[in-house]
Structure formats: C-alpha cells, structure tokens
Amino acid sequence: MSKNKVVVIAGPTAVGKSEIGIELALHFGGEIISGDSMQIYRGLDIGTAKVTLAERKRVPHHLIDERDPAESYSAAAFQKEAKERIKNMNDDGKLPFVVGGTGFYIRALTRDLDLHETSADEGFREEMEQYAQTHGTQALHEKLQAIDYQSASRIHPNNLKKVIRALEINHTTGRKQREFSEQETQPSPYDLALIGLTMERDVLYRRINERVDQMVADGVMEEARWLFEYAPEDSQAAQAIGYKEFYSYFKGEYSIEQAVEQLKRNSRRYAKRQLTWFRNKEKMKWFDMTSMNKEEKIQEMIEYIEGKFS
C-alpha cells in the first residue's frame, strides 16, 4: 500500500516560507496546511505573519483561524487534524504542503509520534517544583537518576524544566524518556519531500528587524492590546512572540521602544532556535534564499519534489 505524499516547507521566521509555499502549491495544484502553532488562532493576524485573505483565495489554507485565542492548542491536536487533511487531499489527488516553523509540530506529524502517552500532569509538575525548592535541584536530579539513569546523564541538574519533564513522562506513562525519543527514529508514515529554507544570518536578522517595524506600522500593538484584554495572560496565545513583548508596556513596566526592541531580539533568538532544530532533527533538502533569485530557487524545488515523487 503506497504512502500518502506530503511536502514540508520549513525554516526560520522571516525566511519566506509562506510565499514559497504558495508558489509551489500553485504549480502542483496543491493545498497548504499551516505548520505554525499560533496561526490557528483567530484575530492574531499581524503578529503571526498570517497569509492574507487574497492569498488564501489563490491557494486553500488549512489550520488557520480555527481556534479562539482563549483556547489551548497542542502538538497532538495539530497532528490529528493535519493527518485528516493530508489523507483527504491525497484521496482527492491533491498534494499537501505543510508550511511553517513550529519544529515539534512538524516532527510529531511526519514521525507520527505517540503523543497521547505524554500528556501533562500539572499537579505532578507543581509537586516536583516544590520538591526542588525545598530540597534543591540536585536532590530532584537524583530522583531522576534512580528511575531513568540514561536521561539523568544527559540532563544537567540545573535544567529544572527538562528534569521535571523526564520525571513526568515516567510518572504518566511508566516509560523512560529515551523510549519516547526513540520513536523519532522510526520511518515516516508518509512519502516525504522535506524542504528547508535558510539564509545568511545577517541578512535574515535584518529581514526580521524590518518585519517587526512593518508589523508595528500595520497595527500589531492593537492586536496585542486586544489579546491582553481578551485572553488570560497564561493562555497559549498570549505566550506568542509578537504579542507577549507588549504586555510589559501595557503594564507601564517598559517603554514602547523597549517592547519593540525586545520583540526584535526574541524573534532573532527564535529564528536561531528554529534553524538549530531543523538542522539537528530533520534530514532536509536545504535551499539558501540569501540571493533572493526566487524563480531559480522555486524551479530547483519543483525539480526536487518531482524527483522525490517520480
């Protein structure tokens, strides 16, 4: 039985994923599934660099504007909904393009990770955080050593978040973190064409800074104000880069100039983390977009996709 086909277009913020995705989807008569964890939320358009309504008329887009900002959204929910859309598109003879930069969401989908077994246990996390406060991070790390020595040897005692997560996986599933991680080495259930877009760092950082300035001009602060007043501050949407940076300004703790500079810095740091993730986690065909000779690059991508699925 043949596998369903999927094209993934990933890379750091501001590298041009959306534009390339639209051009490739138009060429192949495909449709786009957003692989961005924040574009799922209605009303968050400017800060998430969401494609315009005109662009969505050119190519159908999925998993955009399908959740209220007060709702939570997870990799498991993305995986389930994206799998359904991929199957439907393949059944209809259309090529699905997953376009976005949320690395774990894309990995969960392309490796079909068993996510339901690692659900969060907030009570357990709070208990472990309290234990660390009372007894110290080293004592908590020793608890991990006792049940999962391999994970403990890879996680520094001071990395409290990762120590607690490894303990939580064992607590909720009875399995060691390494057993879960080994799923990532399993073959993909899809016939995949993985495209990574990259760019020289100084050029990318300049584009990020310019994008932030344009977002401010387009009214991202008004979107952030609406989100600040509408959704709980600990909601997932409120944690998005592009919005959370303005909260301190709204509270009178930062100037607007400080908030904008923090947004630029956080966006640059996020781009660096995205590149590290995709280079370490995925075997992608990389295309350097620095020269911006888009027509040539797109033709190379078309040939790559055709070669993968021929």
Side-chain angles (χ1 to χ4, degrees):
M1 186 175 178
S2 61
K3 296 180 179 180
N4 284 331
K5 295 179 174 63
V6 180
V7 179
V8 173
I9 302 172
T13 186
V15 79
K17 297 183 296 293
S18 296
E19 182 183 1
I20 296 297
I22 288 170
E23 293 301 322
L24 291 175
L26 283 169
H27 177 85
F28 287 98
E31 299 186 6
I32 291 174
I33 298 169
S34 171
D36 183 294
S37 62
M38 293 298 168
Q39 290 187 354
I40 193 77
Y41 292 116
R42 292 183 288 272
L44 307 187
D45 301 333
I46 300 168
T48 64
K50 201 175 288 179
V51 292
T52 65
L53 292 176
E55 288 170 323
R56 284 181 245 177
K57 286 182 179 179
R58 295 181 71 202
V59 176
H61 281 67
H62 302 260
L63 303 188
I64 289 179
D65 289 347
E66 296 189 13
R67 288 288 194 288
D68 185 273
E71 295 181 74
S72 62
Y73 191 61
S74 67
F78 167 80
Q79 180 195 60
K80 177 178 181 294
E81 293 169 14
K83 283 167 71 172
E84 293 171 354
R85 315 289 172 104
I86 287 169
K87 182 181 184 304
N88 291 340
M89 288 181 210
N90 274 267
D91 288 347
D92 292 341
K94 297 175 181 176
L95 185 60
F97 288 78
V98 178
V99 180
T102 306
F104 186 67
Y105 278 31
I106 292 172
R107 166 126 295 219
L109 174 67
T110 59
R111 297 295 164 185
D112 199 22
L113 300 185
D114 190 2
L115 297 177
H116 73 278
E117 293 187 355
T118 60
S119 56
D121 186 331
E122 295 296 338
F124 179 80
R125 288 184 186 179
E126 291 174 8
E127 181 184 338
M128 292 301 99
E129 287 170 0
Q130 185 60 50
Y131 185 91
Q133 289 177 8
T134 304
H135 301 284
T137 56
Q138 183 62 44
L140 187 67
H141 191 261
E142 288 170 2
K143 288 174 73 75
L144 180 60
Q145 281 182 317
I147 61 171
D148 186 354
Y149 181 81
Q150 284 185 312
S151 292
S153 67
R154 291 182 291 108
I155 301 172
H156 193 279
N158 291 341
N159 195 331
L160 187 62
K161 184 176 180 180
K162 286 192 175 181
V163 171
I164 291 176
R165 182 57 180 151
L167 286 164
E168 182 186 28
I169 288 173
N170 183 268
H171 173 74
T172 57
T173 71
R175 295 166 60 189
K176 298 177 181 179
Q177 187 181 43
R178 189 169 184 84
E179 293 171 0
F180 171 71
S181 300
E182 284 169 356
Q183 293 181 57
E184 298 189 346
T185 64
Q186 299 302 311
S188 175
Y190 298 110
D191 191 1
L192 280 176
L194 293 170
I195 290 175
L197 305 185
T198 188
M199 188 173 282
E200 290 178 8
R201 186 160 296 181
D202 59 338
V203 177
L204 180 64
Y205 285 0
R206 185 171 68 248
R207 283 170 61 92
I208 288 171
N209 291 340
E210 290 170 353
R211 171 185 274 190
V212 170
D213 288 336
Q214 188 61 54
M215 285 178 171
V216 172
D218 290 343
V220 70
M221 194 165 64
E222 285 70 29
E223 279 189 355
R225 172 76 73 176
W226 171 78
L227 183 63
F228 178 71
E229 295 173 351
Y230 175 76
E233 193 168 342
D234 62 352
S235 65
Q236 187 171 334
Q239 305 308 308
I241 295 173
Y243 300 100
K244 65 180 181 179
E245 291 81 8
F246 292 103
Y247 281 28
S248 293
Y249 167 66
F250 298 149
K251 295 174 183 176
E253 299 168 356
Y254 277 0
S255 69
I256 183 60
E257 291 80 11
Q258 286 175 305
V260 171
E261 188 53 43
Q262 187 179 54
L263 173 51
K264 290 178 178 179
R265 186 188 66 209
N266 287 349
S267 298
R268 293 192 300 266
R269 289 176 176 175
Y270 180 51
K272 185 178 179 180
R273 292 197 303 273
Q274 287 174 303
L275 278 169
T276 300
W277 171 279
F278 288 117
R279 283 174 175 157
N280 291 344
K281 293 283 189 178
E282 304 291 355
K283 294 180 179 178
M284 313 191 84
K285 173 69 172 177
W286 287 95
F287 294 86
D288 190 327
M289 305 304 293
T290 305
S291 68
M292 295 308 295
N293 190 340
K294 285 182 290 188
E295 290 73 19
E296 282 186 18
K297 298 290 184 182
I298 289 171
Q299 186 56 43
E300 290 176 17
M301 293 177 207
I302 288 170
E303 292 171 3
Y304 171 70
I305 294 168
E306 289 174 342
K308 290 289 290 186
F309 297 148
S310 60

